[in-house]
Every structure is written in structure tokens, then in C-alpha cells.
Amino acid sequence: RTSVNKLVNGYVEISKRRAGDVINIYFEYAENQWYFFTYSNRTMQVISSDKSFNDKLVGLKEDQRIIKGEKGEADYQFIVGTNEKKASFLRKMKQAAGEDL
């Protein structure tokens, strides 16, 4: 493991909803290089500008995308997210921040 400890641009949103809490994280570590994570109901969706990262996720078998919870904790799965979900999140965050779209 390597610690990076670098300041990056991005957004974090934590929402309480009846159907389950949602956490969205978007960060850019360089121009046009980003990661987007969204987690709700024991499912983590991930997408990146890094094609090889996305390809590795797509290449995993379904059972390899399930992370077993520790004793007493629920399992969760991860899947490849969509650019549309990322774009929608960014529009919402920029609008809330009063930024130009």
C-alpha cells in the first residue's frame, strides 16, 4: 500500500433516505482523471476515467464482486457505475454550489 496524501478537487454527499442512506464521492486527481463512487443498500457502484480500472471491474466474475461482511455485518457487492449517474451527480453538486454548468 502507498499513501498519497494529496489535496484533490471533488464532492462528497451523504443523504438519508427512506429506502436507505446514500453516499456519493467524486474526485479528480488530475485534469480529466477522476473516480466516482456511490454506495446504497449494500451496493457500491464505481466508475473512472481510467479505462483499465473499469475493464478490471467488468472482467470480474459475479462472485468476485461480493465482499463478505465480518461476523454480524452484511455482505456487499460492487458493480461498474454509469457515466450518466456521475454526470447527474456533478450537475446536482455544481448547481448546489452555484457553479456554472
Side-chain angles (χ1 to χ4, degrees):
R1 295 184 179 184
T2 302
S3 294
V4 176
N5 298 320
K6 183 176 179 182
L7 183 63
V8 296
N9 293 322
Y11 300 98
V12 175
E13 176 188 50
I14 302 170
S15 302
K16 295 271 226 192
R17 298 184 180 163
R18 257 189 238 166
D21 300 344
V22 178
I23 300 171
N24 292 305
I25 302 170
Y26 170 85
F27 65 89
E28 293 179 352
Y29 58 94
E31 189 172 332
N32 295 320
Q33 296 178 338
W34 50 265
Y35 286 86
F36 176 63
F37 302 85
T38 183
Y39 179 84
S40 68
N41 298 321
R42 295 188 306 272
T43 300
M44 171 79 74
Q45 294 182 44
V46 183
I47 191 164
S48 173
S49 60
D50 182 346
K51 184 178 176 337
S52 66
F53 176 83
N54 295 332
D55 290 345
K56 286 179 186 175
L57 291 178
V58 169
L60 292 175
K61 295 177 183 172
E62 190 170 335
D63 65 331
Q64 293 175 307
R65 295 181 189 180
I66 296 173
I67 307 299
K68 299 289 184 191
E70 297 290 324
K71 193 171 189 173
E73 295 178 358
D75 298 347
Y76 79 92
Q77 68 174 338
F78 58 94
I79 59 176
V80 177
T82 65
N83 276 313
E84 292 80 14
K85 190 162 190 136
K86 182 224 17 148
S88 175
F89 173 70
L90 288 179
R91 274 192 303 276
K92 182 170 78 170
M93 291 295 101
K94 289 178 180 183
Q95 186 175 32
E99 297 178 24
D100 292 332
L101 297 176

XYZ file of all heavy atoms in Angstrom:
827
model
N 0.825 -1.174 0.000
C 0.000 0.000 0.000
C 0.874 1.243 0.000
O 1.895 1.288 0.658
C -0.920 0.035 1.200
C -1.928 -1.074 1.194
C -2.859 -0.928 2.341
N -3.825 -2.012 2.269
C -4.821 -2.134 3.089
N -4.994 -1.272 4.052
N -5.661 -3.110 2.959
N 0.387 2.260 -0.691
C 1.107 3.515 -0.757
C 0.174 4.649 -0.364
O -0.907 4.787 -0.931
C 1.633 3.767 -2.183
O 2.463 2.678 -2.563
C 2.407 5.052 -2.252
N 0.564 5.451 0.590
C -0.213 6.632 0.955
C 0.081 7.737 -0.039
O 1.231 7.950 -0.421
C 0.153 7.104 2.355
O -0.230 6.143 3.295
N -0.963 8.446 -0.443
C -0.790 9.522 -1.416
C -0.830 10.886 -0.734
O -0.007 11.747 -1.003
C -1.866 9.445 -2.527
C -1.736 10.607 -3.481
C -1.755 8.122 -3.266
N -1.802 11.105 0.143
C -1.918 12.360 0.897
C -1.823 13.578 -0.006
O -0.938 14.411 0.117
C -0.869 12.432 2.003
C -1.044 11.331 3.007
O -2.160 10.995 3.383
N 0.048 10.725 3.427
N -2.753 13.692 -0.928
C -2.768 14.788 -1.887
C -4.138 15.459 -1.858
O -5.160 14.788 -1.790
C -2.478 14.255 -3.296
C -2.405 15.319 -4.343
C -2.030 14.741 -5.694
C -1.997 15.836 -6.732
N -1.685 15.318 -8.058
N -4.161 16.766 -1.927
C -5.403 17.518 -2.000
C -5.960 17.393 -3.407
O -5.234 17.605 -4.390
C -5.141 18.988 -1.661
C -6.360 19.902 -1.630
C -7.319 19.470 -0.531
C -5.920 21.336 -1.414
N -7.236 17.001 -3.518
C -7.874 16.845 -4.829
C -9.207 17.584 -4.833
O -9.796 17.836 -3.787
C -8.100 15.354 -5.200
C -6.789 14.612 -5.348
C -8.997 14.661 -4.199
N -9.670 17.940 -6.020
C -10.991 18.538 -6.166
C -12.031 17.437 -6.174
O -11.774 16.341 -6.684
C -11.082 19.333 -7.465
C -10.200 20.549 -7.447
O -10.059 21.214 -6.426
N -9.579 20.844 -8.572
N -13.209 17.742 -5.645
C -14.258 16.746 -5.685
C -15.440 17.124 -4.827
O -15.533 18.247 -4.314
N -16.356 16.178 -4.695
C -17.582 16.366 -3.925
C -17.861 15.096 -3.126
O -17.587 13.993 -3.592
C -18.788 16.594 -4.836
C -18.680 17.802 -5.728
C -18.270 17.674 -7.040
C -19.018 19.059 -5.248
C -18.188 18.780 -7.870
C -18.941 20.170 -6.073
C -18.525 20.025 -7.382
O -18.444 21.117 -8.193
N -18.450 15.292 -1.953
C -18.937 14.182 -1.131
C -20.356 14.532 -0.719
O -20.618 15.654 -0.280
C -18.068 13.958 0.121
C -18.666 12.879 1.006
C -16.642 13.616 -0.260
N -21.265 13.570 -0.864
C -22.653 13.777 -0.463
C -23.099 12.562 0.349
O -22.905 11.430 -0.067
C -23.550 13.909 -1.692
C -25.019 14.021 -1.354
C -25.907 13.961 -2.580
O -25.725 13.032 -3.401
O -26.770 14.832 -2.706
N -23.704 12.834 1.490
C -24.292 11.782 2.319
C -25.763 12.132 2.478
O -26.095 13.214 2.975
C -23.604 11.685 3.691
C -22.109 11.414 3.501
C -24.261 10.611 4.548
C -21.296 11.527 4.771
N -26.653 11.248 2.024
C -28.092 11.504 2.048
C -28.803 10.449 2.870
O -28.539 9.259 2.721
C -28.670 11.459 0.633
O -28.044 12.375 -0.205
N -29.716 10.897 3.709
C -30.584 9.996 4.457
C -31.872 9.850 3.657
O -32.509 10.844 3.321
C -30.904 10.579 5.826
C -29.722 10.707 6.740
C -29.588 9.505 7.479
C -29.355 9.467 8.902
N -28.991 8.088 9.228
N -32.247 8.620 3.323
C -33.472 8.367 2.571
C -34.218 7.208 3.202
O -33.628 6.355 3.855
C -33.140 8.031 1.114
C -32.452 9.183 0.415
C -32.226 8.870 -1.030
N -31.553 10.006 -1.656
C -30.940 9.941 -2.796
N -30.892 8.820 -3.469
N -30.366 11.011 -3.304
N -35.524 7.184 2.965
C -36.337 6.083 3.488
C -35.868 4.739 2.962
O -35.867 3.750 3.678
C -37.797 6.279 3.075
C -38.653 6.781 4.172
C -40.087 6.748 3.754
N -40.571 8.124 3.869
C -41.662 8.572 3.364
N -42.430 7.799 2.649
N -42.008 9.810 3.550
N -35.510 4.710 1.707
C -35.102 3.456 1.069
C -33.676 3.049 1.441
O -33.209 1.996 1.039
C -35.216 3.586 -0.451
N -32.985 3.888 2.187
C -31.616 3.587 2.591
C -30.712 4.779 2.359
O -30.926 5.560 1.438
N -29.715 4.925 3.195
C -28.780 6.032 3.072
C -27.934 5.877 1.810
O -27.694 4.761 1.334
C -27.871 6.099 4.293
C -28.655 6.311 5.579
O -29.832 6.693 5.486
O -28.088 6.083 6.653
N -27.469 7.020 1.274
C -26.667 7.033 0.053
C -25.417 7.864 0.300
O -25.491 8.948 0.899
C -27.456 7.647 -1.129
C -26.598 7.707 -2.381
C -28.728 6.862 -1.393
N -24.283 7.368 -0.149
C -23.031 8.113 -0.094
C -22.499 8.211 -1.518
O -22.349 7.190 -2.202
C -21.996 7.417 0.811
C -22.528 7.293 2.229
C -20.672 8.181 0.789
C -21.662 6.443 3.134
N -22.229 9.439 -1.965
C -21.633 9.680 -3.278
C -20.300 10.377 -3.079
O -20.211 11.336 -2.305
C -22.528 10.587 -4.134
C -23.820 9.911 -4.527
O -23.820 8.838 -5.102
N -24.939 10.542 -4.198
N -19.281 9.909 -3.785
C -17.955 10.525 -3.714
C -17.429 10.659 -5.138
O -17.394 9.678 -5.896
C -16.967 9.678 -2.890
C -17.491 9.477 -1.475
C -15.585 10.327 -2.891
C -16.699 8.466 -0.665
N -17.028 11.871 -5.496
C -16.417 12.128 -6.797
C -15.140 12.902 -6.538
O -15.133 13.866 -5.770
C -17.343 12.967 -7.679
C -16.668 13.460 -8.939
C -16.605 12.656 -10.073
C -16.081 14.715 -8.988
C -15.972 13.099 -11.224
C -15.452 15.157 -10.139
C -15.399 14.352 -11.245
O -14.756 14.789 -12.388
N -14.037 12.463 -7.149
C -12.826 13.266 -7.043
C -12.021 13.199 -8.327
O -12.038 12.213 -9.049
C -11.972 12.884 -5.825
C -11.393 11.511 -5.851
C -10.160 11.265 -6.424
C -12.070 10.461 -5.257
C -9.611 9.985 -6.421
C -11.537 9.181 -5.249
C -10.301 8.950 -5.840
N -11.348 14.318 -8.597
C -10.450 14.442 -9.742
C -9.038 14.545 -9.202
O -8.746 15.423 -8.398
C -10.756 15.700 -10.546
C -12.088 15.688 -11.237
C -12.356 16.975 -11.998
O -11.583 17.947 -11.877
O -13.360 17.013 -12.724
N -8.169 13.654 -9.631
C -6.791 13.722 -9.154
C -5.889 14.422 -10.154
O -4.743 14.734 -9.856
C -6.255 12.337 -8.781
C -6.285 11.319 -9.891
C -5.179 11.116 -10.686
C -7.418 10.559 -10.126
C -5.200 10.175 -11.707
C -7.454 9.623 -11.131
C -6.342 9.439 -11.920
O -6.373 8.506 -12.929
N -6.392 14.695 -11.353
C -5.710 15.481 -12.380
C -6.776 15.875 -13.395
O -7.899 15.373 -13.347
C -4.595 14.674 -13.049
N -6.447 16.756 -14.316
C -7.432 17.183 -15.297
C -7.924 15.984 -16.110
O -7.131 15.214 -16.644
C -6.828 18.230 -16.234
C -7.868 18.869 -17.129
C -7.307 20.033 -17.918
O -6.359 20.671 -17.455
O -7.838 20.281 -19.009
N -9.238 15.829 -16.158
C -9.900 14.728 -16.876
C -9.531 13.346 -16.353
O -9.638 12.358 -17.075
C -9.636 14.818 -18.384
C -10.260 16.049 -18.984
O -11.374 16.418 -18.625
N -9.540 16.704 -19.875
N -9.084 13.254 -15.110
C -8.793 11.964 -14.478
C -9.564 11.938 -13.156
O -9.251 12.708 -12.245
C -7.293 11.780 -14.264
C -6.544 11.737 -15.576
C -5.050 11.597 -15.378
O -4.508 11.917 -14.327
N -4.378 11.104 -16.397
N -10.545 11.047 -13.070
C -11.479 11.070 -11.949
C -11.947 9.674 -11.572
O -11.791 8.714 -12.331
C -12.692 11.936 -12.295
C -13.311 11.592 -13.624
C -13.052 12.190 -14.827
C -14.249 10.547 -13.898
N -13.778 11.579 -15.827
C -14.530 10.574 -15.291
C -14.895 9.595 -13.127
C -15.411 9.679 -15.896
C -15.768 8.712 -13.738
C -16.023 8.762 -15.099
N -12.553 9.598 -10.377
C -13.238 8.402 -9.874
C -14.569 8.848 -9.290
O -14.661 9.918 -8.682
C -12.431 7.705 -8.779
C -11.226 6.962 -9.296
C -10.013 7.611 -9.478
C -11.310 5.608 -9.604
C -8.911 6.924 -9.955
C -10.212 4.924 -10.078
C -9.016 5.581 -10.259
O -7.941 4.906 -10.730
N -15.600 8.015 -9.453
C -16.912 8.277 -8.868
C -17.385 7.003 -8.186
O -17.397 5.929 -8.776
C -17.918 8.702 -9.942
C -19.312 8.883 -9.416
C -19.600 9.854 -8.473
C -20.343 8.072 -9.854
C -20.892 10.019 -7.976
C -21.640 8.228 -9.377
C -21.906 9.205 -8.435
N -17.769 7.143 -6.912
C -18.278 6.032 -6.110
C -19.650 6.417 -5.587
O -19.851 7.544 -5.136
C -17.384 5.779 -4.887
C -15.955 5.490 -5.212
C -15.046 6.523 -5.418
C -15.507 4.189 -5.292
C -13.721 6.257 -5.704
C -14.180 3.916 -5.576
C -13.280 4.954 -5.789
N -20.591 5.491 -5.618
C -21.877 5.702 -4.969
C -22.248 4.409 -4.245
O -22.083 3.317 -4.782
C -22.975 6.154 -5.964
O -24.181 6.418 -5.244
C -23.233 5.151 -7.048
N -22.681 4.553 -2.998
C -22.991 3.387 -2.182
C -24.375 3.538 -1.583
O -24.706 4.574 -1.001
C -21.966 3.245 -1.045
C -22.237 2.071 -0.148
C -21.793 0.796 -0.496
C -22.950 2.218 1.040
C -22.051 -0.291 0.331
C -23.213 1.133 1.861
C -22.760 -0.116 1.500
O -23.019 -1.183 2.304
N -25.207 2.523 -1.765
C -26.507 2.452 -1.095
C -26.985 1.009 -1.101
O -26.669 0.245 -2.015
C -27.544 3.360 -1.764
O -27.874 2.878 -3.042
N -27.723 0.664 -0.072
C -28.326 -0.673 0.040
C -27.338 -1.805 -0.263
O -27.609 -2.702 -1.045
C -29.555 -0.772 -0.865
C -30.619 0.208 -0.477
O -30.860 0.436 0.698
N -31.250 0.814 -1.464
N -26.177 -1.711 0.358
C -25.133 -2.746 0.257
C -24.603 -2.946 -1.161
O -24.106 -4.018 -1.492
C -25.621 -4.050 0.877
C -25.862 -3.933 2.374
C -26.161 -5.257 3.013
N -27.234 -6.003 2.415
C -28.521 -5.909 2.729
N -28.897 -5.061 3.637
N -29.422 -6.660 2.147
N -24.699 -1.901 -2.001
C -24.132 -1.974 -3.349
C -23.277 -0.743 -3.596
O -23.731 0.384 -3.434
C -25.235 -2.053 -4.421
O -26.010 -3.229 -4.188
C -24.641 -2.133 -5.808
N -22.023 -0.973 -3.989
C -21.103 0.101 -4.344
C -20.978 0.117 -5.863
O -20.652 -0.901 -6.478
C -19.722 -0.156 -3.743
C -18.639 0.789 -4.220
S -18.671 2.388 -3.429
C -18.013 1.950 -1.828
N -21.291 1.273 -6.456
C -21.082 1.450 -7.888
C -19.843 2.314 -8.063
O -19.675 3.309 -7.361
C -22.276 2.139 -8.532
C -23.541 1.316 -8.504
C -24.679 2.035 -9.199
O -24.515 2.598 -10.269
N -25.844 2.021 -8.567
N -18.990 1.921 -9.010
C -17.727 2.620 -9.225
C -17.514 2.802 -10.712
O -17.760 1.886 -11.497
C -16.539 1.798 -8.663
C -15.235 2.550 -8.824
C -16.764 1.394 -7.234
N -17.053 3.990 -11.106
C -16.653 4.228 -12.482
C -15.530 5.255 -12.463
O -15.457 6.091 -11.562
C -17.832 4.678 -13.373
C -17.422 4.649 -14.841
C -18.372 6.021 -12.947
C -18.584 4.706 -15.813
N -14.660 5.170 -13.450
C -13.498 6.040 -13.505
C -13.206 6.453 -14.941
O -13.642 5.796 -15.894
C -12.288 5.296 -12.931
O -11.104 6.041 -13.115
N -12.433 7.503 -15.068
C -11.922 7.884 -16.383
C -10.818 6.923 -16.820
O -10.444 6.895 -17.990
C -11.374 9.314 -16.341
O -10.320 9.402 -15.394
N -10.314 6.119 -15.901
C -9.256 5.139 -16.165
C -9.876 3.863 -16.741
O -10.455 3.054 -16.022
C -8.515 4.836 -14.860
C -7.364 3.877 -15.014
O -7.249 3.212 -16.064
O -6.574 3.779 -14.053
N -9.762 3.704 -18.046
C -10.383 2.571 -18.739
C -9.884 1.235 -18.207
O -10.664 0.297 -18.042
C -10.139 2.671 -20.242
C -10.841 1.590 -21.037
C -10.592 1.766 -22.526
C -11.171 0.704 -23.408
N -11.462 -0.581 -22.897
N -8.605 1.115 -17.908
C -8.082 -0.165 -17.406
C -8.686 -0.513 -16.046
O -8.938 -1.684 -15.764
C -6.549 -0.156 -17.344
O -6.101 0.777 -16.393
N -8.950 0.484 -15.216
C -9.613 0.266 -13.927
C -11.013 -0.295 -14.162
O -11.402 -1.295 -13.566
C -9.676 1.581 -13.145
C -10.422 1.498 -11.849
C -9.800 1.045 -10.698
C -11.750 1.891 -11.773
C -10.483 0.983 -9.494
C -12.450 1.826 -10.569
C -11.808 1.370 -9.435
N -11.786 0.361 -15.050
C -13.140 -0.101 -15.365
C -13.118 -1.504 -15.961
O -13.953 -2.346 -15.616
C -13.827 0.859 -16.332
C -14.050 2.224 -15.738
O -14.185 2.379 -14.532
N -14.077 3.229 -16.589
N -12.183 -1.754 -16.866
C -12.084 -3.071 -17.509
C -11.822 -4.179 -16.491
O -12.351 -5.282 -16.615
C -10.999 -3.079 -18.578
C -11.362 -2.257 -19.803
O -12.555 -1.906 -19.975
O -10.446 -1.954 -20.604
N -11.009 -3.885 -15.470
C -10.745 -4.889 -14.423
C -12.028 -5.233 -13.675
O -12.290 -6.391 -13.385
C -9.678 -4.384 -13.452
C -8.294 -4.412 -14.037
C -7.272 -3.880 -13.071
C -5.919 -3.799 -13.752
N -4.911 -3.185 -12.890
N -12.837 -4.220 -13.373
C -14.110 -4.475 -12.689
C -15.056 -5.280 -13.561
O -15.691 -6.229 -13.103
C -14.781 -3.165 -12.283
C -14.109 -2.359 -11.179
C -14.880 -1.077 -10.928
C -13.987 -3.168 -9.912
N -15.162 -4.894 -14.827
C -16.047 -5.605 -15.754
C -15.607 -7.059 -15.901
O -16.433 -7.960 -16.021
C -16.072 -4.895 -17.137
C -16.760 -5.752 -18.182
C -16.755 -3.547 -17.021
N -14.300 -7.300 -15.857
C -13.761 -8.639 -16.051
C -13.933 -9.585 -14.875
O -13.705 -10.787 -15.004
N -14.357 -9.075 -13.738
C -14.544 -9.930 -12.570
C -15.827 -10.742 -12.696
O -16.847 -10.247 -13.161
C -14.614 -9.087 -11.295
C -13.348 -8.374 -10.869
C -13.641 -7.490 -9.667
C -12.245 -9.362 -10.547
N -15.754 -11.986 -12.236
C -16.958 -12.815 -12.177
C -17.857 -12.281 -11.068
O -17.399 -11.621 -10.133
C -16.574 -14.265 -11.893
C -15.778 -14.887 -13.004
C -15.369 -16.297 -12.645
C -14.510 -16.863 -13.775
N -13.920 -18.122 -13.431
N -19.145 -12.571 -11.186
C -20.116 -12.029 -10.229
C -19.757 -12.363 -8.784
O -19.853 -11.504 -7.907
C -21.520 -12.538 -10.551
C -22.578 -11.819 -9.750
C -23.983 -12.129 -10.218
O -24.179 -12.493 -11.382
O -24.887 -12.002 -9.384
N -19.312 -13.579 -8.514
C -18.993 -13.949 -7.135
C -17.750 -13.223 -6.611
O -17.553 -13.104 -5.415
C -18.849 -15.460 -6.989
C -17.681 -16.037 -7.767
O -17.300 -15.463 -8.807
O -17.147 -17.082 -7.341
N -16.915 -12.699 -7.515
C -15.741 -11.938 -7.100
C -16.102 -10.490 -6.765
O -15.284 -9.762 -6.222
C -14.686 -11.943 -8.207
C -14.093 -13.313 -8.463
C -13.149 -13.289 -9.646
O -13.511 -12.833 -10.729
N -11.939 -13.770 -9.434
N -17.322 -10.076 -7.077
C -17.769 -8.717 -6.800
C -18.508 -8.613 -5.468
O -19.028 -7.563 -5.136
C -18.705 -8.235 -7.910
C -18.023 -8.111 -9.228
C -18.994 -7.613 -10.248
N -18.398 -7.685 -11.564
C -18.995 -7.319 -12.654
N -20.218 -6.860 -12.607
N -18.395 -7.411 -13.811
N -18.557 -9.704 -4.730
C -19.241 -9.710 -3.439
C -18.183 -9.753 -2.334
O -17.302 -10.607 -2.335
C -20.203 -10.906 -3.322
C -21.301 -10.775 -4.372
C -20.776 -10.994 -1.913
C -22.224 -11.963 -4.469
N -18.281 -8.803 -1.424
C -17.372 -8.738 -0.293
C -18.137 -9.255 0.925
O -19.175 -8.710 1.296
C -16.898 -7.295 -0.029
C -16.310 -6.669 -1.296
C -15.934 -7.249 1.144
C -15.099 -7.366 -1.859
N -17.633 -10.317 1.501
C -18.278 -10.904 2.682
C -18.067 -10.003 3.887
O -16.961 -9.538 4.142
C -17.702 -12.297 2.976
C -17.910 -13.290 1.861
C -19.355 -13.686 1.772
C -19.562 -14.751 0.710
N -20.947 -14.978 0.416
N -19.155 -9.747 4.604
C -19.080 -8.921 5.805
C -18.424 -9.678 6.947
O -18.404 -10.910 6.964
N -17.872 -8.923 7.857
C -17.331 -9.527 9.070
C -18.483 -10.136 9.851
O -19.651 -9.890 9.554
C -16.632 -8.452 9.911
C -15.434 -7.809 9.241
C -14.260 -8.761 9.120
O -14.047 -9.579 10.041
O -13.558 -8.690 8.096
N -18.182 -10.897 10.854
C -19.210 -11.548 11.656
C -20.223 -10.508 12.149
O -19.851 -9.493 12.733
C -18.555 -12.253 12.844
C -19.449 -13.205 13.555
C -18.678 -14.007 14.574
C -19.553 -15.118 15.115
N -18.794 -16.011 15.972
N -21.491 -10.726 11.841
C -22.549 -9.819 12.252
C -22.790 -8.668 11.290
O -23.691 -7.874 11.491
N -21.966 -8.557 10.250
C -22.139 -7.492 9.265
C -22.649 -8.085 7.960
O -22.357 -9.230 7.625
C -20.817 -6.765 9.003
C -20.284 -6.010 10.189
C -18.955 -5.338 9.894
O -18.434 -5.498 8.768
O -18.437 -4.668 10.788
N -23.383 -7.289 7.205
C -23.938 -7.744 5.930
C -22.870 -7.740 4.835
O -21.908 -6.969 4.886
C -25.091 -6.836 5.514
N -23.052 -8.623 3.858
C -22.199 -8.615 2.675
C -22.541 -7.388 1.837
O -23.603 -6.797 1.994
C -22.468 -9.848 1.806
C -22.148 -11.160 2.516
O -21.506 -11.126 3.571
O -22.555 -12.205 1.988
N -21.625 -7.004 0.947
C -21.977 -6.002 -0.043
C -21.328 -6.364 -1.361
O -20.408 -7.170 -1.424
C -21.647 -4.574 0.406
C -20.199 -4.161 0.291
C -19.726 -3.540 -0.868
C -19.312 -4.340 1.337
C -18.406 -3.133 -0.965
C -17.997 -3.935 1.248
C -17.546 -3.329 0.087
O -16.254 -2.937 -0.009
N -21.854 -5.781 -2.419
C -21.321 -6.064 -3.749
C -20.899 -4.764 -4.405
O -21.318 -3.686 -4.007
C -22.358 -6.758 -4.613
C -23.544 -5.900 -4.984
C -24.470 -6.595 -5.951
O -24.077 -7.506 -6.657
N -25.705 -6.148 -5.992
N -20.034 -4.882 -5.406
C -19.690 -3.703 -6.177
C -19.884 -4.000 -7.651
O -19.726 -5.128 -8.099
C -18.280 -3.198 -5.866
C -17.187 -4.188 -6.094
C -16.500 -4.223 -7.295
C -16.825 -5.084 -5.101
C -15.484 -5.135 -7.501
C -15.806 -5.992 -5.293
C -15.131 -6.020 -6.503
N -20.300 -2.963 -8.363
C -20.564 -3.069 -9.793
C -20.020 -1.825 -10.484
O -19.710 -0.829 -9.838
C -22.079 -3.212 -10.085
C -22.857 -2.014 -9.552
C -22.627 -4.506 -9.512
C -24.336 -2.015 -9.886
N -19.898 -1.904 -11.798
C -19.459 -0.751 -12.561
C -20.617 0.232 -12.660
O -21.737 -0.145 -13.000
C -18.973 -1.162 -13.966
C -18.588 0.059 -14.780
C -17.795 -2.119 -13.853
N -20.354 1.486 -12.329
C -21.367 2.531 -12.398
C -21.527 3.031 -13.831
O -20.953 2.466 -14.774
N -22.288 4.110 -13.975
C -22.527 4.669 -15.301
C -22.078 6.127 -15.355
O -22.115 6.838 -14.341
C -24.022 4.610 -15.668
O -24.753 5.458 -14.771
C -24.556 3.184 -15.604
N -21.684 6.556 -16.541
C -21.334 7.961 -16.739
C -22.542 8.851 -16.498
O -22.402 9.986 -16.042
C -20.783 8.180 -18.149
C -19.313 7.853 -18.220
O -18.524 8.263 -17.380
N -18.924 7.095 -19.237
N -23.738 8.351 -16.807
C -24.951 9.139 -16.617
C -25.176 9.454 -15.138
O -25.544 10.566 -14.778
C -26.176 8.404 -17.190
C -26.175 8.294 -18.697
C -25.281 7.172 -19.238
O -24.846 6.288 -18.442
O -24.984 7.196 -20.434
N -24.957 8.470 -14.282
C -25.135 8.682 -12.842
C -24.106 9.688 -12.333
O -24.415 10.569 -11.536
C -25.026 7.354 -12.100
C -25.432 7.449 -10.659
C -25.725 6.084 -10.091
C -26.369 6.250 -8.735
N -27.482 5.389 -8.541
N -22.879 9.568 -12.812
C -21.827 10.518 -12.431
C -22.182 11.917 -12.903
O -22.096 12.886 -12.150
C -20.477 10.093 -13.001
C -19.360 11.017 -12.590
C -18.343 11.457 -13.589
C -18.582 11.320 -15.014
N -17.981 12.335 -15.864
N -22.615 12.055 -14.165
C -22.964 13.364 -14.731
C -24.124 13.997 -13.963
O -24.110 15.200 -13.678
C -23.300 13.222 -16.210
N -25.115 13.205 -13.609
C -26.254 13.694 -12.847
C -25.807 14.205 -11.471
O -26.233 15.272 -11.018
C -27.289 12.582 -12.694
O -28.338 12.988 -11.874
N -24.946 13.457 -10.810
C -24.419 13.861 -9.509
C -23.641 15.170 -9.632
O -23.831 16.095 -8.830
C -23.533 12.756 -8.927
C -22.826 13.155 -7.664
C -23.527 13.335 -6.490
C -21.458 13.361 -7.648
C -22.876 13.710 -5.314
C -20.806 13.734 -6.496
C -21.510 13.910 -5.321
N -22.781 15.280 -10.640
C -21.989 16.505 -10.820
C -22.874 17.715 -11.097
O -22.631 18.802 -10.571
C -20.966 16.328 -11.936
C -19.785 15.421 -11.612
C -18.855 15.297 -12.807
C -19.030 15.918 -10.388
N -23.915 17.530 -11.928
C -24.850 18.637 -12.194
C -25.488 19.122 -10.891
O -25.567 20.311 -10.621
C -25.944 18.202 -13.175
C -25.588 18.350 -14.624
C -26.794 18.192 -15.528
N -27.492 16.919 -15.372
C -27.140 15.788 -15.978
N -26.093 15.766 -16.786
N -27.829 14.691 -15.778
N -25.934 18.161 -10.074
C -26.581 18.495 -8.799
C -25.616 19.234 -7.871
O -25.975 20.241 -7.258
C -27.113 17.229 -8.140
C -27.850 17.470 -6.845
C -28.571 16.245 -6.355
C -27.626 15.286 -5.713
N -28.303 14.180 -5.014
N -24.380 18.770 -7.772
C -23.402 19.391 -6.883
C -23.020 20.785 -7.376
O -22.924 21.724 -6.583
C -22.141 18.519 -6.767
C -22.349 17.219 -6.022
S -22.772 17.445 -4.278
C -24.536 17.188 -4.321
N -22.812 20.924 -8.669
C -22.438 22.239 -9.223
C -23.584 23.234 -9.078
O -23.364 24.405 -8.789
C -21.996 22.096 -10.671
C -20.637 21.406 -10.771
C -20.201 21.214 -12.211
C -18.843 20.524 -12.226
N -18.315 20.359 -13.573
N -24.808 22.755 -9.264
C -25.965 23.625 -9.099
C -26.079 24.072 -7.638
O -26.321 25.235 -7.342
C -27.233 22.902 -9.545
C -28.455 23.778 -9.552
C -29.663 23.037 -10.113
O -29.791 21.833 -9.948
N -30.535 23.768 -10.777
N -25.891 23.141 -6.710
C -25.976 23.463 -5.291
C -24.866 24.447 -4.873
O -25.068 25.284 -4.009
C -25.871 22.190 -4.448
N -23.705 24.350 -5.531
C -22.574 25.229 -5.222
C -22.654 26.545 -5.991
O -21.805 27.415 -5.802
C -21.263 24.509 -5.525
N -23.657 26.664 -6.893
C -23.798 27.880 -7.686
C -22.760 28.013 -8.777
O -22.473 29.096 -9.259
N -22.182 26.885 -9.191
C -21.170 26.891 -10.247
C -21.838 26.859 -11.610
O -22.964 26.389 -11.757
C -20.239 25.684 -10.108
C -19.444 25.678 -8.825
C -18.573 24.432 -8.696
O -18.235 23.825 -9.721
O -18.252 24.080 -7.555
N -21.122 27.337 -12.617
C -21.623 27.245 -13.987
C -21.629 25.791 -14.429
O -20.715 25.037 -14.137
C -20.729 28.044 -14.955
C -20.825 29.535 -14.703
O -21.880 29.978 -14.214
O -19.841 30.251 -14.997
N -22.685 25.416 -15.167
C -22.784 24.036 -15.647
C -22.149 23.875 -16.985
O -21.971 24.584 -17.812
C -24.256 23.594 -15.693
C -24.942 23.574 -14.335
C -26.413 23.233 -14.494
C -24.289 22.579 -13.417
